C-alpha cells in the first residue's frame, strides 16, 4: 500500500498545498454512487467515479451499474417475468387460446436476452457520465489518506486521486458459508445465476432471504426442479404472517422446502452432479441429496475489505464491518460520507441509496438541508405471488404500541384474472395495520398478490403523508382491480369475522 514516499513529487506538493483533483470523488459505480456523481455534476462540480468489480469466486464479472443493474433487481425482475409468462401460457386455453401444452422453456435464449439488456444499461451509464463530464476510472480504489485514494489501472499504471469530499457507495456482495466444505468450490450465488449460459438444472437454494425465495420462485416457474433449504425463519425482518403465506404459495406451486435444515458438505460426484449433505435439526439426523446447482443466498456482506478505511480513519461496525454514519450520511471523518448497502442500519434497497445520495449531494453543493427519511420505505419481494409492504409489520406495531392499541384490518380476495383460469387464490391477502384510536393512523400495509409492487407504490405515498384508516376508507377504488381491495378493508382481526371477500 502507498505511503507518502510512494506519491510522485509533483502530486505530493499539490496535495500538501491543499489543491485537490476533484470537488467530489465517488467510490462505487452502483445506483447510489452514480446518482451522487450525476447530481454533483449537474450542480457544476468537478466529479470522478471509481468502480471495480471483483470477479465472483466462479469468475463472473460485469460492467458499470452495480448490483441492481447487473446481478440484482433488473435481471431478477426479467426472469421473474419469464416465470409469470409461463403461468399465463397455462391460463391461455381457459381464455380461448389454443396453445399446445406443455410449452418448453429455453434458458439460453432468456439469459442471452436478459444479459443483452443489462449490457445496454452498462453502456448507458457510461454515456451518461461522459455527457455530464464525470470522469470514470475502472480501478480498485483504496485510501491513502483521508482525502486521497489510489488504484491500479489495467496497464499496471498506479493512479492517485484526491478530492475535497468523498462518498463511499461500494454496496455489498453475497456471503459464502466458507465453513462448509465445498461451498466455495462448487456453489454459486446471485452474482452468478443471472449470467449462466446454460440452465442451472435441478437446483438447491440455501437461505431464507428474499433473494433466496425470488430465485427459487423464478427457477420453479420456468420448470426447474427447485428446493429451498431454510435453517430458521423465512424473510426475517418482514411481517411473519405474510412470510408464511409466501412460503405456502410457493410450496403449493412446486417449490420444495427443507425446513430446519443446514448443509454441512458439498462434493462433486464422478458424473458431475453435486452431492449435498445436511443435518435436519428437528430429527438430528443427517441426509443427502443430489443437485446440478447449489445457490447460496444466506445474506450479504459490505464491500469494504479492500478500501483500507483505517488509513482514512473511517469507523465501521465491529460486528458487520458496515460503515457507521450519522443522520447526514457522515462518517467519523467530516468530509467522507457513505450511502447504500455499505452503511450500518440502512435498508438494502436501490431507491433508498439513490435518494440518500441525491439529498446528500444537494446538501453538500446545493444549499439544501433536507435529510433522507428512512421511515415508511416501500418494497416488494418478487416471489411468484408478489409481496409488497410499506411501514411497520404487525409484530413491530404491537411491540411499539401494544396489542390493545393496534387494529389490523384484513381480507382474503380473489383477483378477477384468476377466476376464469380456476387459479388458486388461497394466499391472496391484504392487511392494513393501524393505530386503534381514531382517526386510526395507518402504520403499515401488506399486500400479497399479483403486481404487488405497483399496488404498494401507490399507497406508499398516502402512508408517507400520514394517511388514516378513515381517509383510506373514503378513497374510491378502481374497479375491477386488486388495488381496490385495500380501500374496501372493513373487517378487523379483533372482530373474529371471516375476512373472505365475496361478490365482485
Amino acid at each position: 500500500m502507498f505511503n507518502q514516499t510512494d506519491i510522485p513529487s509533483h502530486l505530493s506538493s499539490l496535495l500538501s498545498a491543499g489543491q485537490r483533483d476533484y470537488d467530489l470523488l465517488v467510490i462505487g459505480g452502483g445506483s447510489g454512487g452514480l446518482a451522487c456523481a450525476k447530481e454533483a455534476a449537474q450542480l457544476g462540480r468537478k466529479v470522478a467515479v471509481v468502480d471495480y468489480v471483483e470477479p465472483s469466486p466462479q469468475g463472473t464479472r460485469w460492467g458499470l451499474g452495480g448490483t441492481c443493474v447487473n446481478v440484482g433487481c433488473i435481471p431478477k425482475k426479467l426472469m421473474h417475468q419469464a416465470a409469470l409468462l409461463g403461468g399465463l401460457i397455462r391460463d391461455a386455453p381457459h381464455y380461448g387460446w389454443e396453445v399446445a401444452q406443455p410449452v418448453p422453456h429455453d434458458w439460453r435464449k432468456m439469459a442471452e436476452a436478459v444479459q443483452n439488456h443489462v449490457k445496454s444499461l452498462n453502456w448507458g451509464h457510461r454515456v451518461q457520465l461522459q455527457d455530464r463530464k464525470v470522469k470514470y476510472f475502472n480501478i480498485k480504489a483504496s485510501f491513502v489518506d483521508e482525502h486521497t485514494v489510489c488504484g491500479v489501472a489495467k496497464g499496471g499504471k498506479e493512479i492517485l486521486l484526491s478530492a475535497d469530499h468523498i462518498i463511499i457507495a461500494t454496496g455489498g456482495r453475497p456471503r459464502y458459508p466458507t465453513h462448509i466444505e465445498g461451498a466455495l468450490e462448487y456453489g454459486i450465488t446471485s452474482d452468478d445465476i443471472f449470467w449462466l449460459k446454460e440452465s442451472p438444472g435441478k437446483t438447491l437454494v440455501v437461505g431464507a432471504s428474499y433473494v433466496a425465495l425470488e430465485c427459487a420462485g423464478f427457477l420453479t416457474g420456468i420448470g426447474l426442479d427447485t428446493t429451498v433449504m431454510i435453517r430458521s425463519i423465512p424473510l426475517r425482518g418482514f411481517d411473519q404472517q405474510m412470510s408464511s403465506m409466501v412460503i405456502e404459495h410457493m410450496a403449493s406451486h412446486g417449490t420444495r422446502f427443507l425446513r430446519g435444515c443446514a448443509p454441512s458438505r458439498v462434493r462433486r460426484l464422478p458424473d458431475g452432479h453435486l452431492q449435498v449433505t445436511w443435518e435436519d435439526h428437528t430429527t438430528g439426523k443427517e441426509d443427502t441429496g443430489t443437485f446440478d446447482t447449489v445457490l447460496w443466498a444466506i445474506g450479504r456482506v459490505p464491500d469494504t475489505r479492500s478500501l483500507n478505511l483505517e488509513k482514512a480513519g473511517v469507523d465501521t461496525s465491529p460486528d458487520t464491518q458496515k460503515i457507521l454514519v450519522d443522520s447526514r450520511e457522515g462518517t467519523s471523518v467530516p468530509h467522507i460520507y457513505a450511502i447504500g448497502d455499505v452503511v450500518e442500519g440502512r435498508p438494502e434497497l436501490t431507491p433508498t441509496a439513490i435518494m440518500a445520495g441525491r439529498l446528500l449531494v444537494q446538501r453538500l453543493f446545493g444549499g439544501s438541508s433536507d435529510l433522507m427519511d428512512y421511515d415508511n420505505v416501500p418494497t416488494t419481494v418478487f416471489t411468484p405471488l408478489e409481496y409488497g409492504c410499506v411501514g411497520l409489520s404487525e409484530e413491530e406495531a404491537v411491540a411499539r404500541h401494544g396489542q390493545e392499541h393496534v387494529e389490523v384490518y384484513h381480507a382474503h380476495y380473489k383477483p378477477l384474472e384468476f377466476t376464469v383460469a380456476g387459479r388458486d387464490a388461497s394466499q391472496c391477502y391484504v392487511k392494513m395495520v393501524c393505530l386503534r384510536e381514531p382517526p386510526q393512523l395507518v402504520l403499515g400495509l401488506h399486500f400479497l398478490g399479483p403486481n404487488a409492487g405497483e399496488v404498494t407504490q401507490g399507497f406508499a405515498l398516502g402512508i408517507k403523508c400520514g394517511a388514516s384508516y378513515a381517509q383510506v376508507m373514503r378513497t374510491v377504488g378502481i374497479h375491477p382491480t386488486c388495488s381496490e381491495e385495500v380501500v374496501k378493508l372493513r373487517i378487523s382481526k379483533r372482530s373474529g369475522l371471516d375476512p373472505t371477500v365475496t361478490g365482485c
Side-chain angles (χ1 to χ4, degrees):
M1 191 47 64
F2 282 80
N3 56 45
Q4 193 66 32
T5 59
D6 293 317
I7 303 174
S9 56
H10 67 286
L11 275 179
S12 180
S13 60
L14 282 175
L15 291 175
S16 60
Q19 299 175 16
R20 302 191 179 96
D21 303 325
Y22 297 96
D23 297 314
L24 176 65
L25 173 65
V26 180
I27 305 174
S31 304
L34 293 175
C36 290
K38 288 184 275 191
E39 189 74 21
Q42 204 159 318
L43 291 170
R45 298 298 171 146
K46 189 179 180 185
V47 185
V49 171
V50 297
D51 184 61
Y52 178 81
V53 178
E54 192 74 51
S56 76
Q58 300 302 327
T60 308
R61 60 181 71 232
W62 53 87
L64 184 64
T67 297
C68 174
V69 166
N70 294 282
V71 290
C73 323
I74 299 300
K76 175 269 300 290
K77 181 76 181 292
L78 291 173
M79 291 192 179
H80 170 62
Q81 176 65 13
L84 293 181
L85 285 171
L88 293 175
I89 291 168
R90 289 188 291 276
D91 286 353
H94 297 281
Y95 284 91
W97 291 95
E98 297 300 329
V99 181
Q101 303 283 351
V103 179
H105 180 267
D106 187 332
W107 174 279
R108 181 184 282 269
K109 191 172 284 186
M110 174 191 71
E112 185 179 352
V114 170
Q115 290 159 15
N116 285 342
H117 177 65
V118 168
K119 288 172 185 174
S120 75
L121 297 177
N122 297 150
W123 176 250
H125 283 309
R126 294 283 293 267
V127 170
Q128 286 175 16
L129 292 182
Q130 198 170 358
D131 288 348
R132 289 167 172 78
K133 296 182 171 51
V134 174
K135 186 70 175 171
Y136 167 59
F137 294 92
N138 183 210
I139 60 172
K140 188 175 183 177
S142 60
F143 280 94
V144 176
D145 61 39
E146 61 182 28
H147 280 285
T148 314
V149 301
C150 65
V152 180
K154 281 184 180 175
K157 182 184 175 186
E158 294 171 340
I159 296 175
L160 281 167
L161 303 170
S162 61
D164 292 332
H165 302 275
I166 298 174
I167 298 175
I168 303 168
T170 49
R173 298 292 292 268
R175 182 190 303 278
Y176 266 90
T178 50
H179 63 285
I180 296 174
E181 180 188 333
L184 202 61
E185 296 90 334
Y186 305 124
I188 66 169
T189 68
S190 57
D191 276 358
D192 309 293
I193 186 75
F194 305 111
W195 292 90
L196 295 179
K197 288 184 167 51
E198 302 295 335
S199 169
K202 182 182 179 183
T203 302
L204 173 67
V205 179
V206 182
S209 63
Y210 72 88
V211 174
L213 299 184
E214 287 175 339
C215 289
F218 72 68
L219 291 173
T220 302
I222 61 174
L224 298 180
D225 185 333
T226 309
T227 300
V228 180
M229 184 179 291
I230 298 178
R231 180 174 55 90
S232 54
I233 64 168
L235 295 178
R236 188 181 298 278
F238 288 87
D239 186 283
Q240 284 303 293
Q241 181 192 8
M242 305 304 289
S243 301
S244 296
M245 295 177 83
V246 167
I247 297 290
E248 286 169 19
H249 180 270
M250 290 180 67
S252 66
H253 288 76
T255 303
R256 277 194 288 276
F257 286 89
L258 294 169
R259 302 292 295 263
C261 297
S264 55
R265 184 170 65 253
V266 182
R267 67 184 188 95
R268 190 179 293 283
L269 299 174
D271 63 4
H273 291 101
L274 300 176
Q275 185 185 69
V276 180
T277 304
W278 65 86
E279 184 181 343
D280 186 325
H281 290 160
T282 306
T283 64
K285 293 180 180 177
E286 194 173 80
D287 208 344
T288 62
T290 305
F291 304 90
D292 298 308
T293 300
V294 176
L295 173 67
W296 305 110
I298 56 171
R300 297 176 66 80
V301 293
D303 203 357
T304 54
R305 192 175 52 184
S306 63
L307 288 176
N308 232 16
L309 293 174
E310 63 278 4
K311 284 270 183 152
V314 174
D315 291 341
T316 59
S317 163
D319 299 322
T320 65
Q321 280 69 60
K322 288 191 171 190
I323 296 173
L324 301 173
V325 301
D326 57 22
S327 62
R328 303 179 65 83
E329 324 303 341
T331 70
S332 50
V333 181
H335 58 274
I336 300 178
Y337 304 85
I339 59 161
D341 294 10
V342 77
V343 177
E344 178 70 20
R346 298 293 193 237
E348 295 186 1
L349 298 169
T350 295
T352 55
I354 291 172
M355 185 175 287
R358 285 179 177 154
L359 290 172
L360 168 58
V361 168
Q362 287 162 13
R363 291 195 301 274
L364 290 177
F365 305 121
S368 171
S369 59
D370 290 346
L371 298 177
M372 176 66 188
D373 180 2
Y374 290 96
D375 286 334
N376 292 324
V377 171
T379 191
T380 291
V381 181
F382 289 98
T383 38
L385 195 63
E386 299 173 8
Y387 166 37
C389 59
V390 57
L392 300 182
S393 66
E394 187 174 345
E395 297 92 337
E396 288 171 329
V398 168
R400 190 174 296 186
H401 299 283
Q403 185 78 55
E404 67 280 9
H405 298 297
V406 173
E407 195 77 86
V408 178
Y409 296 92
H410 65 151
H412 285 280
Y413 68 97
K414 187 159 192 171
L416 181 63
E417 297 84 351
F418 281 26
T419 55
V420 170
R423 281 205 192 193
D424 176 29
S426 303
Q427 286 82 35
C428 290
Y429 179 75
V430 57
K431 71 175 176 181
M432 188 183 295
V433 182
C434 307
L435 282 177
R436 195 175 179 191
E437 185 179 332
Q440 297 187 288
L441 182 75
V442 179
L443 302 174
L445 176 66
H446 302 268
F447 181 94
L448 189 55
N451 306 302
E454 312 298 340
V455 173
T456 309
Q457 181 70 82
F459 285 103
L461 172 62
I463 292 171
K464 191 77 175 173
C465 292
S468 67
Y469 172 74
Q471 288 171 322
V472 175
M473 290 305 101
R474 287 199 299 271
T475 302
V476 177
I478 299 172
H479 188 67
T481 64
C482 294
S483 295
E484 70 176 315
E485 302 302 338
V486 177
V487 302
K488 291 160 55 179
L489 289 171
R490 303 288 180 185
I491 295 174
S492 69
K493 281 191 174 184
R494 186 176 267 106
S495 74
L497 298 173
D498 182 3
T500 304
V501 175
T502 55
C504 72

